[in-house]
Amino acid sequence: SCEKDSSKETNSFIVVSFWCKSVIFECPPMGLETLKIDDFQLHASTTKRYGLGAHRGRLNIQVCKVKRLYDGAWCAGRDDPLQWFEVDARRLTKFTGVVTQGRSSLWSSDWVTSYKVMVSNDSHTWITLKNGSEDLIFIGNREKEIPVRNIFPVPVVARYIRVNPNSWFTIGNICMRVEILGCPMPDPNNYYHRRNEVITTDKLDFRHHSYKEMRQLMKVVNEMCPNITRIYNIGKSHSGLKLYAIEISDNPGEHELGEPEFRYTAGSHGNEVLGRELLLLLMQFMCLEYLSGNQRIRHLVEETRIHLLPSVNPDGYEKAFEAGSELSGWSLGRWSNDGIDIHHNFPDLNSILWEAETKKWIPRKMLNHHVPIPEWYQSKNASVAVETRALIAWMEKMPFVLGGNLQGGELVVTFPYDKTRSQGVTREPTPTPDDHVFRWLAFSYASTHRLMTDANRRVCHTEDFAKEDGTINGASWHTAAGSLNDFSYLHTNCFELSMYVGCDKFPHESELPEEWENNRESLLVFMEQVHRGLKGVVRDLQGRPIANATIAVEGISHDVCTAADGDYWRLLNPGEYRVTARAEGYSVTTKKCEVGYEMGATKCDFFIGRTNLSRIREIMEKFNKQPIKMPIRRLQARRSRERRLGTS
């Protein structure tokens, strides 16, 4: 039972604190999964091999299928009741519980079915938690993936804690992945704690939001900033939940000529919830900073039309949210309600384009951009999620220029292509014609993140992306056909990247302020990249805009098209480019355009005239005249006769 202790209103967001009378108290995770606890704080009695050492005993850690150095748990060197897994908190801590999993493995069945817990202040004298006079036995796992949480009857204060396996699966071994629940005791002299503490000064709503709470928070922001925000939905989920987006712009609801459109999406995998909360925090932050006169935010809002879609898969999120941070595991809620991975549910346009290139159909029979969606994909019987169809309709409606989708479970930014060109190859570099631009866009996010490019940070699971500046070509990591990134690049004008924003897919609520600090600058810097490259308007000689005109850059085999108002944006790195504008019925125009190093797209407009043939057709159609068709021989004979008569 809890009673209200205090409440205060800060920038229209109400923060309420409570104190609880309950005897059973649960602290947040200490950070084995989020890597706050480093490898040197983890110890074990024995180890089967290095890849199964204590440093691998972290909740939800994933196995590497290739390298045995990165296995999916701590496994004891012997299977007997004398084994233990130990965490050194490095300071007095109030321990309140333990969460356990079995070993992440495709080939073995290893998990602990019961265990004891011991604590110590000096790592020499150990006290076992008791149930009266008997050792307290905690029930462990029944299989290897679903986490099991045990809360201590009474919190215990100590520096060290050990999990001592008591029994394990009969045909398996002693293997565990662990998270410890604990609250550090106050100690202002503890340098280690102060060095790792991250504090935010932003007064935002740092908590996990259910679907209804998310909708309410969006409404609060809209009421606070009605002149620069608009809430709309792009469709519905499988269970009928609306897919809400919020637009942030100085003229919400309208596309302004020359103003680029940007999007962030999150939650296509419903259990990767950090991205969802980051977008809700970004929405609040931009509203408050705009009101306070922050010039950087005001410039972004006034020069960009920004769209935030926090929850692509609300059905999956509700499943993970109901289980909670530590108990949702690695996959609960990942898929849509009909079992589809939304992020990889788009049509495979890569194969269509690459086949056309092999047959040398480009550009005569097929264009190098805006690859059409195949008919089979659009049929009602195709295995396409309703959420995916809603996303495609949204992407085709809005002239997006740049987008980022926030994922979870890693710290890296990936860019197209996500599918390997070579068949049967699981990973190989597969660059787009805009590889240099994509690499810059990825680096702009990763380099401004607090951890992604830190060479000293521990890898989340198996891959050391920090060595690659925190970025990687998607196909170099693992091949995936039909990804959102590849589809966006090949079917629309929008360059799309994936940001994996944290090792923990579902961080505890107490971790959100630090995760916001980790990602805030990156979120803003990446948005600002939509103003890099060229922009302009294509018009006819009378000044009328031409929609769907093609903008081609010499040396880059990927074109973009103008929007309904004739405006276009072409993301490019600094340099000088030969740019060609063409449209059906118009003459082709080429000019040199230079992209500078300073932020802000270079203006590069085009005026193109009608061709003689198109003008003749236009005049004939206007006056309902049909061209005279005469057989060639009769026409030649007539001209010959006219010449003879003229000479005589």
Side-chain angles (χ1 to χ4, degrees):
S1 62
C2 299
E3 295 183 7
K4 189 172 178 180
D5 181 44
S6 65
S7 64
K8 57 182 177 178
E9 187 170 332
T10 308
N11 292 324
S12 299
F13 294 102
I14 298 175
V15 180
V16 182
S17 61
F18 294 85
W19 61 277
C20 297
K21 296 178 181 177
S22 175
V23 174
I24 298 177
F25 182 79
E26 182 182 344
C27 283
M30 290 182 59
L32 276 76
E33 183 176 7
T34 61
L35 308 181
K36 271 192 171 183
I37 299 294
D38 65 37
D39 289 351
F40 298 106
Q41 293 175 258
L42 305 178
H43 309 279
S45 51
T46 59
T47 296
K48 182 165 290 191
R49 62 172 184 271
Y50 177 78
L52 292 168
H55 64 293
R56 301 298 293 175
R58 300 172 181 271
L59 194 72
N60 283 319
I61 202 164
Q62 299 299 294
V63 63
C64 179
K65 300 177 180 63
V66 180
K67 303 175 184 177
R68 288 166 63 89
L69 292 176
Y70 300 106
D71 223 315
W74 159 68
C75 288
R78 302 188 303 271
D79 293 325
D80 62 52
L82 299 178
Q83 306 307 307
W84 45 261
F85 176 84
E86 177 185 310
V87 179
D88 175 7
R90 287 183 171 164
R91 62 181 296 181
L92 286 180
T93 300
K94 181 190 292 184
F95 298 116
T96 63
V98 174
V99 184
T100 60
Q101 280 174 311
R103 177 181 175 185
S104 173
S105 173
L106 296 175
W107 307 281
S108 58
S109 301
D110 304 318
W111 60 84
V112 171
T113 55
S114 68
Y115 58 87
K116 301 176 185 178
V117 173
M118 300 180 290
V119 295
S120 171
N121 284 330
D122 58 9
S123 78
H124 297 291
T125 303
W126 292 88
I127 298 174
T128 303
L129 271 59
K130 300 284 185 180
N131 181 15
S133 60
E134 300 291 329
D135 290 348
L136 189 57
I137 305 294
F138 295 95
I139 302 302
N141 300 88
R142 295 182 177 179
E143 51 85 72
K144 56 191 175 186
E145 287 299 335
I146 299 176
V148 173
R149 177 177 56 195
N150 281 296
I151 304 299
F152 303 156
V154 178
V156 56
V157 176
R159 171 175 169 173
Y160 302 89
I161 185 169
R162 281 181 179 177
V163 180
N164 170 215
N166 187 63
S167 62
W168 46 95
F169 185 51
T170 51
I171 60 172
N173 303 112
I174 294 177
C175 295
M176 302 183 78
R177 289 178 285 171
V178 179
E179 182 62 84
I180 304 296
L181 307 180
C183 301
M185 300 300 288
D187 182 5
N189 297 317
N190 190 300
Y191 168 74
Y192 176 79
H193 175 70
R194 286 185 285 110
R195 185 187 67 178
N196 290 276
E197 197 171 26
V198 176
I199 300 174
T200 184
T201 58
D202 297 325
K203 309 299 182 184
L204 308 175
D205 189 13
F206 291 106
R207 61 191 177 95
H208 291 294
H209 297 80
S210 67
Y211 177 79
K212 290 183 178 179
E213 291 168 338
M214 177 192 76
R215 176 67 182 88
Q216 181 59 33
L217 182 59
M218 295 173 83
K219 184 178 179 182
V220 169
V221 172
N222 178 238
E223 290 171 350
M224 289 178 61
C225 296
N227 295 329
I228 62 165
T229 62
R230 177 180 71 100
I231 301 171
Y232 65 100
N233 75 80
I234 69 166
K236 292 184 179 181
S237 70
H238 185 270
S239 68
L241 298 179
K242 291 181 179 179
L243 306 180
Y244 284 112
I246 188 166
E247 175 189 340
I248 305 175
S249 169
D250 62 340
N251 192 15
E254 294 184 26
H255 171 74
E256 297 181 64
L257 185 71
E259 187 170 290
E261 309 229 4
F262 176 92
R263 70 168 180 253
Y264 269 134
T265 61
S268 58
H269 299 142
N271 64 327
E272 295 171 9
V273 309
L274 178 55
R276 168 195 178 106
E277 296 305 327
L278 286 175
L279 292 192
L280 294 180
L281 291 168
L282 179 64
M283 168 187 74
Q284 300 169 58
F285 177 80
M286 294 192 72
C287 171
L288 294 173
E289 292 299 304
Y290 184 89
L291 293 177
S292 69
N294 183 320
Q295 289 304 306
R296 180 187 188 188
I297 300 303
R298 280 186 168 267
H299 183 265
L300 255 178
V301 172
E302 291 165 3
E303 300 297 326
T304 322
R305 192 181 181 200
I306 301 164
H307 303 258
L308 307 180
L309 181 63
S311 189
V312 173
N313 181 9
D315 297 346
Y317 173 80
E318 290 297 294
K319 293 178 184 177
F321 180 77
E322 185 178 352
S325 173
E326 279 65 65
L327 301 184
S328 59
W330 192 251
S331 59
L332 179 65
R334 175 183 175 90
W335 300 278
S336 68
N337 258 12
D338 48 350
I340 294 176
D341 184 333
I342 297 172
H343 185 70
H344 299 106
N345 188 221
F346 294 83
D348 175 14
L349 303 183
N350 304 59
S351 298
I352 296 173
L353 176 69
W354 295 340
E355 182 181 359
E357 289 177 346
T358 301
K359 294 180 178 179
K360 298 183 179 180
W361 284 356
I362 296 174
R364 291 180 296 105
K365 291 186 178 181
M366 183 174 160
L367 301 176
N368 64 13
H369 60 104
H370 288 75
V371 180
I373 298 174
E375 290 185 11
W376 67 264
Y377 184 89
Q378 302 181 63
S379 69
K380 292 183 178 180
N381 296 327
S383 297
V384 183
V386 292
E387 296 90 345
T388 311
R389 294 192 190 277
L391 281 172
I392 291 176
W394 186 48
M395 295 163 69
E396 291 179 332
K397 179 181 179 182
M398 301 287 189
F400 292 118
V401 179
L402 178 61
N405 55 86
L406 306 188
Q407 310 284 335
E410 263 298 349
L411 272 174
V412 67
V413 180
T414 69
F415 51 90
Y417 289 122
D418 288 335
K419 179 182 177 179
T420 55
R421 187 182 284 258
S422 303
Q423 292 185 356
V425 178
T426 58
R427 55 166 69 185
E428 71 173 359
T430 310
T432 66
D434 285 288
D435 189 57
H436 292 297
V437 178
F438 273 116
R439 288 183 181 276
W440 167 255
L441 293 170
F443 184 70
S444 72
Y445 193 100
S447 62
T448 48
H449 190 280
R450 287 186 62 252
L451 299 175
M452 277 190 189
T453 55
D454 183 358
N456 296 318
R457 73 170 177 87
R458 187 197 186 284
V459 299
C460 290
H461 300 281
T462 62
E463 304 281 350
D464 189 359
F465 295 114
K467 291 181 178 179
E468 304 296 329
D469 291 326
T471 70
I472 192 170
N473 169 250
S476 292
W477 185 13
H478 54 76
T479 186
S483 75
L484 169 59
N485 295 351
D486 289 3
F487 173 80
S488 182
Y489 180 70
L490 293 176
H491 185 67
T492 76
N493 286 338
C494 185
F495 286 33
E496 181 87 11
L497 295 84
S498 292
M499 291 79 179
Y500 291 79
V501 292
C503 300
D504 188 351
K505 290 184 176 184
F506 196 152
H508 191 271
E509 206 162 84
S510 62
E511 302 288 340
L512 292 179
E514 182 171 350
E515 293 294 356
W516 168 245
E517 287 295 316
N518 288 343
N519 288 276
R520 179 185 57 196
E521 182 64 16
S522 300
L523 290 166
L524 297 175
V525 167
F526 186 74
M527 276 196 290
E528 291 169 335
Q529 303 313 305
V530 76
H531 296 283
R532 181 176 295 278
L534 299 175
K535 70 174 183 179
V537 182
V538 179
R539 297 183 174 93
D540 64 17
L541 298 181
Q542 286 71 45
R544 293 171 297 197
I546 301 174
N548 206 36
T550 299
I551 302 297
V553 179
E554 187 177 87
I556 303 177
S557 182
H558 182 81
D559 304 337
V560 298
C561 293
T562 57
D565 295 331
D567 44 354
Y568 78 91
W569 305 262
R570 185 53 166 99
L571 296 175
L572 291 166
N573 288 340
E576 188 176 85
Y577 299 92
R578 284 179 57 84
V579 185
T580 299
R582 58 169 58 88
E584 187 175 355
Y586 292 86
S587 58
V588 177
T589 302
T590 300
K591 62 194 300 187
K592 285 186 178 181
C593 303
E594 186 172 351
V595 177
Y597 286 89
E598 65 281 356
M599 187 57 70
T602 301
K603 200 165 178 55
C604 188
D605 294 331
F606 288 89
F607 289 89
I608 55 179
R610 301 295 297 255
T611 61
N612 291 335
L613 180 59
S614 66
R615 290 176 63 190
I616 292 171
R617 287 175 177 170
E618 186 178 291
I619 293 170
M620 298 294 288
E621 290 174 3
K622 183 177 180 180
F623 293 100
N624 294 320
K625 297 280 184 76
Q626 297 297 322
I628 299 173
K629 296 181 179 180
M630 184 179 292
I632 295 177
R633 289 183 179 178
R634 286 180 57 191
L635 180 62
Q636 291 175 340
R638 178 179 172 178
R639 288 177 177 172
S640 177
R641 187 167 58 253
E642 289 174 346
R643 283 196 297 270
R644 287 198 305 271
L645 291 173
T647 55
S648 62

